[in-house]
Amino acid sequence: MANSLRKQALLDPMYYPVITLLITLIACVEFSDAVTAVDVYRLVQYDISGVPFGSRLSALNHHAGSSLFGSDLSRTVLILPVRELNLTLITEYIEQKKLLGGLLLLLPPKFSSGNIDSTCGADKDIASLRNKLLELEWLLMHSNIPYPVYFAFEDDNISAVLAEVKRNDANGQPATATTGGYKLVVAASDPKRIASPNIANIQGWLPGLKVDGDSNQLPTIAIVASYDTFGAAPALSVGSDSNGSGVVALLEIARLFSALYSNPKTRSRYNLLFGLTSGGPYNYNGTQKWLRSFDQRVRESIDYAICLNSVGSHGNQLHLHVSKPPENAYIQQIFQGFSTVAEELGLQVGLKHKKINISNPRVAWEHEQFSRMRVTATTLSELSTAPELLDSTGGLADNRHFTSEASIIRSVKLVAESIARHIYSQEKKSIIIFADDSSLAVNPSYIRSWLELLSTTPRVAPFLSKNDPLIKALEKELADHTAEVNVQHEILDGMFTFYDSTSGKLHIYQVASVTFDLLLLLVLGSYLITLFSFLFITTRGLDDLISLFRRPPSRKVKTA
């Protein structure tokens, strides 16, 4: 009997409206459906001598828009494909510091590091788009932007969302809290300053042949390349050409001379020093620390250093950049050696002189760090002029599509042959030491595999840990071809400060308008009131329902 009464109580129709009301209120807080989620990459945030640059925020939670001409965009995230971008308008908008809820820039899939296809280097449309991206990247990196800026790659889902957003904007119905639309959300904490960013230099030696009883220090040739990158989006800065091509060339040169030096009969009386340095975009800070760690006798033994920087473009012209006057006899000897080999390979090599100012902290080329320590050095590069600070350091437009394996192979042959003829005193003889049909031939497969690895690996130094897999891989590879390999860990110093939060997940929701929510709540509320009244009357009577709205008798009347 008790169980049956309890069951009836649980099934009392009076509870139905209450339960329905609760469910409806929860459901009507905000009707939204997750349309898609995409990987996004935040614009770099950094300071130079305390001056802020880049995007200063990371969290995003606003409605989507597609036009810069809205009346109030302070609560709008603009979705702008780079291929359709008007650089003049976006430059004016940023320079005038107009308010914006956020900015999402869509990159063509061709610029994705995961898209390994090197067939578009000569495509005029792609080349034009690349130039636009270079200008945009320079603008964003050198501006202080007080709202979140993210990059993403175009795909079918986000293109469909953008098409609908454009339609609504064109019809004069931009997305707002009142009208509904698409909402873009990136849940991210406030960016934190990276304390004591690490840089790592990796070096290996190939010792020359020393005659018994000879106590003199053997001369040394140093082959150096900076391996880290910098760009508008650290998580996308793979730097295939700057300076992935230089790193690949150095590793192949080390492999070639390792085979040559493995036989005492073909080992020269020169030491070969291979250095993979970090901190290149920041005035070659790692190179400076590396050189200062040398014993004075080691520095004095360096005959000359050749630094490899961006040697993988589709052109056939390279430049030897020097700090010493071009009239210097030894500079002329080095240049003539390279020119002779270049002519045999169908390349053109020019000599570029740039005097250094020791009082100026700006270091445009890696060889300038050697020159400051009175070591003869040169940089081999496809770049004819010195880049500006943080320019040509492996940004968004520097990927696999614009880097040529054939150019890297020619650069390897040029450097390897020139060094070999120098250390074996064969400069004036037209002999080919690393002939294509010999056991000392350049290996295209080796170059391709390392180029593809570096073209998919972001290498911005402040975001690499001491035990980063890339650093370990470079150390192991150099150890396979050289001796006495060691890694020097240092702290990046100077005027740069960096902040974390470089990537995230963007969730796109389709949100109903507030007007729709209110109307729906009104209809449901009316229905629930009607349902409640009907059930109350049928179970307890009309008089009980009316008594709910009567004023209860006062306490004095009850006492009387």
Side-chain angles (χ1 to χ4, degrees):
M1 183 70 175
N3 289 337
S4 64
L5 289 174
R6 191 179 297 112
K7 186 176 293 185
Q8 287 180 4
L10 290 174
L11 299 176
D12 190 337
M14 289 297 297
Y15 289 95
Y16 295 167
V18 178
I19 296 172
T20 307
L21 180 61
L22 289 173
I23 295 173
T24 305
L25 288 174
I26 294 171
C28 289
V29 170
E30 184 176 82
F31 282 97
S32 62
D33 296 317
V35 175
T36 187
V38 296
D39 293 320
V40 289
Y41 310 93
R42 193 169 76 99
L43 174 65
V44 66
Q45 178 180 352
Y46 68 103
D47 304 335
I48 298 181
S49 300
V51 179
F53 292 97
S55 175
R56 312 308 293 184
L57 296 176
S58 57
L60 201 62
N61 191 351
H62 292 296
H63 287 83
S66 63
S67 173
L68 283 167
F69 297 104
S71 57
D72 181 13
L73 300 177
S74 61
R75 295 182 179 274
T76 300
V77 180
L78 286 184
I79 306 176
L80 302 177
V82 172
R83 64 173 78 247
E84 302 173 8
L85 197 62
N86 186 318
L87 279 175
T88 303
L89 287 178
I90 193 68
T91 301
E92 290 177 357
Y93 201 94
I94 291 175
E95 288 180 348
Q96 293 174 11
K97 299 192 179 301
K98 295 182 180 179
L99 294 178
L100 191 62
L103 183 60
L104 177 62
L105 296 164
L106 300 182
L107 301 170
K110 282 284 187 184
F111 288 87
S112 170
S113 61
N115 187 355
I116 303 296
D117 174 18
S118 58
T119 60
C120 67
D123 190 316
K124 291 184 179 179
D125 292 336
I126 292 294
S128 175
L129 189 57
R130 183 181 187 233
N131 291 333
K132 178 189 283 190
L133 189 56
L134 287 170
E135 291 184 47
L136 175 65
E137 186 170 29
W138 178 263
L139 168 68
L140 296 175
M141 287 197 310
H142 293 81
S143 302
N144 178 9
I145 303 178
Y147 45 80
V149 179
Y150 282 95
F151 297 92
F153 290 100
E154 298 173 353
D155 62 20
D156 293 340
N157 291 329
I158 202 165
S159 296
V161 171
L162 178 58
E164 190 168 342
V165 171
K166 284 182 175 180
R167 249 189 331 266
N168 293 337
D169 288 349
N171 294 333
Q173 298 176 339
T176 63
T178 305
T179 62
Y182 288 99
K183 178 170 277 191
L184 277 56
V185 178
V186 176
S189 58
D190 293 336
K192 295 181 178 59
R193 176 179 174 272
I194 297 177
S196 304
N198 175 71
I199 54 176
N201 301 312
I202 311 165
Q203 73 173 38
W205 288 87
L206 279 177
L209 184 63
K210 200 166 186 179
V211 179
D212 292 340
D214 187 357
S215 60
N216 294 325
Q217 178 85 20
L218 291 180
T220 299
I221 301 289
I223 303 98
V224 187
S226 178
Y227 66 85
D228 61 327
T229 60
F230 184 85
L236 297 177
S237 299
V238 296
S240 297
D241 189 20
S242 299
N243 188 32
S245 61
V247 174
V248 172
L250 182 144
L251 292 176
E252 175 64 356
I253 293 169
R255 190 190 68 81
L256 292 173
F257 277 99
S258 175
L260 196 60
Y261 271 44
S262 62
N263 187 343
K265 294 182 179 180
T266 55
R267 189 185 304 171
S268 81
R269 288 179 55 78
Y270 273 80
N271 296 322
L272 296 181
L273 171 62
F274 296 89
L276 291 168
T277 60
S278 183
Y282 325 112
N283 294 318
Y284 296 97
N285 188 241
T287 309
Q288 180 190 50
K289 293 177 180 292
W290 181 53
L291 290 174
R292 285 180 175 175
S293 70
F294 286 174
D295 183 272
Q296 184 177 352
R297 290 176 301 173
V298 174
R299 279 205 304 268
E300 291 175 351
S301 75
I302 297 178
D303 196 22
Y304 77 86
I306 174 74
C307 304
L308 307 177
N309 184 312
S310 303
V311 293
S313 73
H314 288 267
N316 66 342
Q317 187 168 10
L318 294 169
H319 307 276
L320 275 175
H321 297 271
V322 295
S323 300
K324 289 185 175 183
E327 300 80 18
N328 181 281
Y330 196 43
I331 293 295
Q332 279 296 319
Q333 180 185 343
I334 296 171
F335 175 63
Q336 288 301 325
F338 273 81
S339 297
T340 301
V341 178
E343 188 176 349
E344 296 171 6
L345 295 171
L347 289 170
Q348 297 178 7
V349 175
L351 187 63
K352 297 284 184 176
H353 172 244
K354 176 182 172 294
K355 189 176 181 180
I356 62 172
N357 182 359
I358 296 179
S359 62
N360 188 348
R362 172 69 182 129
V363 179
W365 297 111
E366 187 164 21
H367 75 267
E368 292 182 5
Q369 291 290 13
F370 286 85
S371 298
R372 287 168 182 252
M373 296 193 175
R374 304 187 183 280
V375 176
T376 301
T378 179
T379 293
L380 181 69
S381 175
E382 68 208 24
L383 303 175
S384 59
T385 58
E388 297 292 332
L389 180 65
L390 302 181
D391 185 26
S392 299
T393 52
L396 293 172
D398 186 354
N399 58 39
R400 181 69 180 83
H401 309 303
F402 304 99
T403 307
S404 166
E405 291 174 23
S407 296
I408 297 176
I409 290 172
R410 288 200 302 268
S411 299
V412 168
K413 289 180 178 180
L414 172 63
V415 177
E417 285 288 345
S418 300
I419 291 176
R421 294 183 188 184
H422 178 78
I423 63 180
Y424 292 110
S425 300
Q426 302 292 321
E427 286 104 333
K428 297 182 179 180
K429 297 181 181 179
S430 298
I431 62 170
I432 301 178
I433 297 175
F434 301 101
D436 289 338
D437 56 352
S438 70
S439 60
L440 296 175
V442 174
N443 187 342
S445 297
Y446 181 85
I447 288 175
R448 184 180 305 114
S449 62
W450 269 101
L451 182 60
E452 290 181 357
L453 172 63
L454 294 173
S455 297
T456 55
T457 308
R459 306 184 300 281
V460 180
F463 304 102
L464 298 178
S465 65
K466 287 185 177 181
N467 296 316
D468 191 271
L470 174 68
I471 296 175
K472 291 296 183 183
L474 292 173
E475 179 187 5
K476 180 181 181 302
E477 192 63 28
L478 209 54
D480 288 343
H481 306 307
T482 63
E484 301 178 36
V485 173
N486 65 73
V487 180
Q488 175 195 28
H489 292 285
E490 296 284 353
I491 301 299
L492 177 66
D493 57 22
M495 52 188 177
F496 295 92
T497 303
F498 298 91
Y499 298 82
D500 63 7
S501 187
T502 60
S503 61
K505 186 72 82 172
L506 170 69
H507 296 272
I508 303 177
Y509 298 96
Q510 192 166 17
V511 184
S513 68
V514 173
T515 304
F516 174 77
D517 288 350
L518 293 175
L519 181 60
L520 184 61
L521 282 171
L522 179 62
V523 172
L524 289 174
S526 301
Y527 166 74
L528 290 173
I529 291 172
T530 303
L531 179 62
F532 177 79
S533 300
F534 174 76
L535 293 174
F536 202 98
I537 292 171
T538 56
T539 56
R540 300 190 181 182
L542 181 61
D543 292 340
D544 287 347
L545 178 63
I546 294 173
S547 66
L548 290 176
F549 301 98
R550 287 177 179 168
R551 184 176 180 181
S554 65
R555 193 171 296 176
K556 291 181 179 180
V557 174
K558 288 184 178 180
T559 305

